[in-house]
């Protein structure tokens, strides 16, 4: 399958987008046991189905690394997902460029992608625009609120503009 015919990628961060830093919704505090991490109670179990409904190929882009598959994915009803590797610490870096930016552009290999994170900045947007030949949406989520209806609308609208059914 050519890169153009493949589903768009969606690189997904956990802390901020899925685990908001603001106050927790009371309905979420009765969720599954926290396995030693009380922040897991902030996960909204309905988000997994909404992410899958976007029709993208999901990829974890988080410092949780493989633990995202072991702890977070089951709580959201997500399958095991590929995980973006942390880059080598001694590699050259551009001031202000997020550690995830280069690896996810490399992973995408020209495919359309969405990056959902709470730490996306202007340098990341400029670098992706210059280095990635395909369409890309760098969607910054408010870390105090996490993914909301408005975020899903923005993602769905962008994917629809690509001609991707979600």
């Amino acid at each position: 399958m050519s890169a153009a015919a493949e589903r768009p990628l969606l690189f997904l961060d956990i802390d901020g987008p899925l685990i908001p830093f603001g106050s927790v919704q009371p309905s979420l505090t009765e969720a599954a046991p926290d396995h030693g991490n009380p922040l897991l109670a902030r996960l909204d179990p309905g988000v997994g189905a909404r992410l899958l409904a976007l029709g993208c190929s999901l990829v974890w882009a988080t410092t949780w690394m493989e633990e995202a598959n072991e702890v977070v994915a089951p709580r959201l009803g997500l399958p095991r997902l590929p995980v973006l590797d942390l880059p080598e610490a001694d590699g050259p870096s551009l001031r202000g460029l997020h550690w995830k930016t280069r690896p996810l552009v490399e992973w995408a290999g020209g495919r359309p992608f969405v990056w959902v994170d709470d730490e996306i900045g202007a340098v990341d947007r400029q670098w992706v625009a210059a280095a990635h030949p395909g369409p890309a949406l760098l969607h910054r989520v408010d870390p105090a609120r996490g993914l909301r209806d408005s975020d899903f609308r923005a993602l769905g609208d962008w994917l629809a503009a690509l001609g991707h059914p979600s």
Side-chain angles (χ1 to χ4, degrees), residues 131-158:
H132 183 66
L137 172 65
L138 280 63
H139 185 78
R140 187 180 181 284
V141 173
D142 178 350
R145 299 171 36 122
L147 277 168
R148 299 291 193 171
D149 290 342
S150 58
D151 297 301
F152 280 102
R153 275 192 302 277
L155 300 176
D157 289 350
W158 187 82

Side-chain angles (χ1 to χ4, degrees), residues 37-160:
N37 184 340
L39 294 179
L40 290 174
R42 295 172 180 236
L43 287 168
D44 177 351
V47 167
R50 295 185 79 180
L51 288 166
L52 292 172
L54 292 171
C56 296
S57 296
L58 302 175
V59 178
W60 291 120
T62 175
T63 56
W64 283 68
M65 303 302 291
E66 193 56 43
E67 193 175 4
N69 282 318
E70 297 162 8
V71 178
V72 178
R75 295 172 71 96
L76 298 179
L78 294 174
R80 182 173 272 310
L81 303 176
V83 178
L84 184 71
D85 288 329
L86 289 168
E88 295 295 324
D90 59 352
S93 72
L94 179 62
R95 185 177 180 161
L97 188 68
H98 198 286
W99 70 264
K100 299 173 190 175
T101 308
R102 289 180 191 204
L104 64 83
V105 166
E106 183 177 314
W107 185 303
R111 282 171 70 177
F113 74 83
V114 175
W115 177 18
V116 175
D117 205 306
D118 62 311
E119 297 180 342
I120 296 168
V123 174
D124 301 302
R125 293 179 193 287
Q126 293 167 353
W127 198 88
V128 170
H132 183 66
L137 172 65
L138 280 63
H139 185 78
R140 187 180 181 284
V141 173
D142 178 350
R145 299 171 36 122
L147 277 168
R148 299 291 193 171
D149 290 342
S150 58
D151 297 301
F152 280 102
R153 275 192 302 277
L155 300 176
D157 289 350
W158 187 82
L159 291 165

